[in-house]
Amino acid sequence: MLNGSERKSNSSYLSLKTLYEENITVKSIAQELEFCHKNDLALDIQKAMKKKNFDILAVQDQGEIIGYIERQELGEGSISEYMRNFSPREMVSNSTPLIQLLHIFKNKTRVFVLENNSIKMLITHADLQKPPIRMLIFGYITLLEMRMSDIILDRFGDGSWYPMISEDRLEKATELYKRRIDKNEDINIIECLQISDKFDIIHKDKELRNFFQIPSKSKGKKDANAIRKLRDKISHANELGLDMSWMEIIEVVESCGRLLEISESYHYEK
């Protein structure tokens, strides 16, 4: 049975999880798709696209978006000669949860957004820098950290986790805990640990390592470092997709998702 603080934490976790997975959709980051007419001269449109730094432009006919063009493919003739049709694999609904979009972008550089059976918006890698995506990634990592705290507290509520981290890390956590207690905050010392400390505790406990399906301490440490690195980048408002590719970033988010899913099956001691 969960105690009061655990119920509160679990409720907060589920509320946040629902928010991230159901209520924040691709519409929050999509940009309006600009267009040209199918009878426009391709070289003129190519110049205009270069000036605006557009790689993609929609093609319109009789007030409807009927396809798209890529700047690098344009040459002599009219736009209609270079138009591509939209493929179902390139499209997502505007109601698609943002977390699903990240998985889709693992193997894509752009997607078109379908709204009321019409293509009206576009999402590229540049749009993944926007606040909703950063909030989503940071939130997912925070959710994982909340679950780790609850599980560690349940398994090592007697403080037997102390020897699993360095004296320096324990001292810093204790100092932070005292400051927050002085502010009359309802908190336990485990919540004052850094995420890397929580991973260390899990990696050093065979039962928790097996529970989270971590094949080895070295693999666990590698994944933990990647999660911490990504969270730090977002915390400091660093641009994403530079020294960590979007493929790597999405894999980190997927790793968080797997650990979160596993954590939901944890049975607290009565």
Side-chain angles (χ1 to χ4, degrees), residues 102-103 105-107 125 128 137 141 222-223 225-231 233 240-256 258:
L102 280 179
H103 302 320
F105 255 93
K106 192 172 181 180
N107 299 305
H125 273 167
L128 299 184
I137 296 174
I141 296 174
K222 180 181 178 183
D223 290 345
N225 286 338
I227 291 172
R228 178 190 53 76
K229 179 181 177 182
L230 179 56
R231 192 190 65 171
K233 282 183 172 298
L240 302 177
L242 295 179
D243 56 337
M244 284 183 79
S245 69
W246 277 109
M247 174 76 76
E248 291 172 322
I249 290 171
I250 293 169
E251 286 178 348
V252 170
V253 176
E254 289 178 338
S255 177
C256 285
R258 285 193 297 271

Side-chain angles (χ1 to χ4, degrees), residues 44-57 69-72 74 79:
D44 289 346
I45 297 302
Q46 186 183 53
K47 290 179 182 178
M49 292 175 70
K50 185 176 181 180
K51 187 175 182 179
K52 292 186 175 183
N53 198 29
F54 287 171
D55 294 320
I56 301 290
L57 202 63
I69 52 170
E70 296 197 26
R71 187 179 73 189
Q72 62 182 11
L74 299 180
I79 285 296

Side-chain angles (χ1 to χ4, degrees), residues 8-258:
K8 179 181 177 183
S9 178
N10 195 46
S11 176
S12 300
Y13 156 73
L14 292 175
S15 296
L16 285 170
K17 188 171 185 287
T18 299
L19 172 67
Y20 292 128
E21 294 186 351
E22 298 179 11
N23 298 337
I24 304 178
T25 68
V26 300
K27 194 172 182 179
S28 65
I29 67 166
Q31 57 181 306
E32 290 293 326
L33 189 57
E34 296 197 28
F35 58 86
C36 61
H37 194 273
K38 72 172 186 176
N39 295 328
D40 288 337
L41 292 177
L43 288 179
D44 289 346
I45 297 302
Q46 186 183 53
K47 290 179 182 178
M49 292 175 70
K50 185 176 181 180
K51 187 175 182 179
K52 292 186 175 183
N53 198 29
F54 287 171
D55 294 320
I56 301 290
L57 202 63
V59 178
Q60 188 184 70
D61 182 43
Q62 297 182 2
E64 296 290 332
I65 299 296
I66 60 173
Y68 68 96
I69 52 170
E70 296 197 26
R71 187 179 73 189
Q72 62 182 11
E73 297 179 350
L74 299 180
E76 297 285 347
S78 68
I79 285 296
S80 60
E81 298 175 49
Y82 302 94
M83 188 186 76
R84 290 187 175 203
N85 294 321
F86 295 110
S87 164
R89 292 178 296 178
E90 297 177 299
M91 296 185 289
V92 297
S93 166
N94 67 333
S95 61
T96 301
L98 211 52
I99 187 64
Q100 290 184 21
L101 179 73
L102 280 179
H103 302 320
I104 292 169
F105 255 93
K106 192 172 181 180
N107 299 305
K108 297 183 184 300
T109 58
R110 65 167 184 265
V111 292
F112 297 100
V113 181
L114 190 65
E115 182 178 4
N116 297 328
N117 296 320
S118 298
I119 298 294
K120 296 183 178 179
M121 292 177 284
L122 171 71
I123 298 174
T124 67
H125 273 167
D127 298 305
L128 299 184
Q129 301 285 350
K130 292 179 178 177
I133 286 285
R134 302 175 76 92
M135 181 176 70
L136 171 68
I137 296 174
F138 189 83
Y140 239 53
I141 296 174
T142 301
L143 287 177
L144 176 59
E145 191 169 5
M146 288 170 61
R147 295 298 286 168
M148 290 166 61
S149 295
D150 287 346
I151 291 171
I152 291 170
L153 177 62
D154 183 76
R155 179 154 173 75
F156 303 111
D158 59 355
S160 55
W161 56 268
Y162 287 9
M164 296 181 180
I165 63 173
S166 69
E167 290 185 8
D168 179 59
R169 298 303 312 161
L170 179 58
E171 183 178 338
K172 288 182 178 179
T174 302
E175 290 175 357
L176 177 59
Y177 176 63
K178 289 178 179 178
R179 290 201 302 270
R180 295 180 71 172
I181 286 295
D182 288 341
K183 293 180 180 179
N184 202 30
E185 295 184 20
D186 181 14
I187 197 171
N188 64 73
I189 190 171
I190 294 172
E191 294 176 68
C192 298
L193 294 172
Q194 296 294 317
I195 190 170
S196 54
D197 299 325
K198 297 172 188 178
F199 272 118
D200 280 345
I201 293 170
I202 288 171
H203 296 158
K204 290 177 181 177
D205 181 73
K206 185 177 180 180
E207 185 172 324
L208 287 184
R209 197 166 65 243
N210 290 338
F211 169 74
F212 279 105
Q213 301 173 24
I214 299 170
S216 65
K217 290 182 181 179
S218 58
K219 178 63 167 62
K221 189 173 182 62
K222 180 181 178 183
D223 290 345
N225 286 338
I227 291 172
R228 178 190 53 76
K229 179 181 177 182
L230 179 56
R231 192 190 65 171
D232 289 348
K233 282 183 172 298
I234 295 175
S235 297
H236 297 107
N238 292 335
E239 185 173 354
L240 302 177
L242 295 179
D243 56 337
M244 284 183 79
S245 69
W246 277 109
M247 174 76 76
E248 291 172 322
I249 290 171
I250 293 169
E251 286 178 348
V252 170
V253 176
E254 289 178 338
S255 177
C256 285
R258 285 193 297 271

